[in-house]
Structure formats: C-alpha cells, structure tokens
Amino acid sequence: MTMRPIRIIGDPVLRTPSEPVTTFDAELRALVQDLMDTLLGAPGRAGVAAPQIGVNTQVFVYDADGHRGHLVNPTLELSEELQDDDEGCLSIPGLYFPTPRALHATAHGHDQHGEPLTITGSGFLARALQHETDHLRGRLYVDTLRGDTRRQALREIRAGRFDSPSRGR
C-alpha cells in the first residue's frame, strides 16, 4: 500500500491545469493504485486527484455514495439544477463552506486501460465528480464561492486557520 502525502493549498501543482493522459501503461496503473491507496488509507475521503499527490496528470479516484472508481481525462455534463451543501477539501483541511454545484453530473473519460467510461451521479457523487475534475483544471472549491462566503474562506486560508499537517493534526 502506497499512501502518498496530500499537497496543501499554496503548492503550485494545485493551481496548474493537468496534462491529459496519452499513454495507458503500467505507470498509469501504478498511479491509479497510489491514488486509491491514498483515498482509502484514511477515513472520510471522497476523492483524490493526481495533482493532490503532486502529479500533473488528468486522473482521479473517488469513493462516494457507494460508488468507487477512477477516471482518466474526464469531461463533465452538468444539470442546471443546483445543490448547495458544505464542501471541504483534503488540500485545505478542516475548512468547510456551502458550495454551489450541479445536482446531477455525467463524467466521460477512460479507465486505466484506455477503455471509454461514463459515470453518472446525483447529490454527493455529482459533487465529488465536479470537485475532482476541478482539481485537474487547477481549481479548488473555494474558487467557486461567492460573496461573504468567499471572503470568509479566503480570510481563514490567509490566517492559516485550516488544519495544516505541519500544525500536528
């Protein structure tokens, strides 16, 4: 089992759009396994994207609403109907804010062998698919916040009020 450390906000890899996967080989399968080990290695995790472990590649794993898997080079189709629940991120540990997301999402991409893959979900699974795809685009959930919620999130991040691993969580 290879549980990799999670990169924390401030690390440039989290703000860099990821490169698409062009070779579906043993190296990609090892990355998917490392991502899954990292996801399942601690309780309460819903997804991990490659940039969160320092790899600038379009792949993520998820475990949400009874669905577990991975997706390579995802694209999303989103419903116009919205949900507005609290959202958090392993890369900004301990902070949660109400975050608007599409209620339904369909993600298209590939599996680790290059086979086409489609995942459709609502509620929490839809939220996880959007959250992880955002990571591959160099976006964090706080980028989607607006108004007072955004100002509060940015204040807390600037003040270092998240549970940084260096603070002994």
Side-chain angles (χ1 to χ4, degrees):
M1 177 180 219
T2 306
M3 211 173 135
R4 307 261 295 263
I6 299 291
R7 301 293 178 99
I8 301 300
I9 191 168
D11 189 315
V13 73
L14 296 173
R15 295 300 194 171
T16 304
S18 297
E19 296 295 322
V21 172
T22 56
T23 306
F24 294 81
D25 57 6
E27 186 177 333
L28 175 63
R29 289 188 292 283
L31 173 60
V32 169
Q33 186 61 56
D34 283 358
L35 285 164
M36 192 60 75
D37 290 348
T38 302
L39 172 68
L40 301 177
R45 293 181 171 182
V48 177
Q52 290 182 282
I53 63 169
V55 180
N56 189 21
T57 301
Q58 289 186 17
V59 60
F60 68 79
V61 297
Y62 61 92
D63 185 13
D65 281 348
H67 300 272
R68 181 184 293 168
H70 68 278
L71 194 59
V72 178
N73 298 337
T75 60
L76 291 178
E77 293 175 30
L78 304 174
S79 70
E80 291 184 24
E81 189 178 1
L82 297 177
Q83 57 177 313
D84 193 25
D85 293 322
D86 279 355
E87 192 166 319
C89 181
L90 298 173
S91 295
I92 313 172
L95 293 184
Y96 300 87
F97 294 95
T99 305
R101 295 280 189 183
L103 182 59
H104 309 284
T106 299
H108 302 280
H110 296 87
D111 70 11
Q112 62 189 329
H113 303 288
E115 296 299 319
L117 187 60
T118 298
I119 304 153
T120 299
S122 297
F124 188 61
L125 178 56
R127 179 175 294 280
L129 294 172
Q130 292 166 79
H131 181 106
E132 299 310 326
T133 300
D134 276 355
H135 274 300
L136 304 181
R137 296 175 178 154
R139 291 175 40 111
L140 298 171
Y141 85 99
V142 294
D143 299 332
T144 69
L145 303 177
R146 301 286 176 253
D148 289 339
T149 303
R150 180 174 175 77
R151 285 187 285 281
Q152 179 186 357
L154 295 178
R155 270 193 307 272
E156 291 192 32
I157 290 167
R158 279 192 299 273
R161 291 194 185 119
F162 55 92
D163 294 328
S164 170
S166 65
R167 292 184 8 204
R169 179 174 175 186

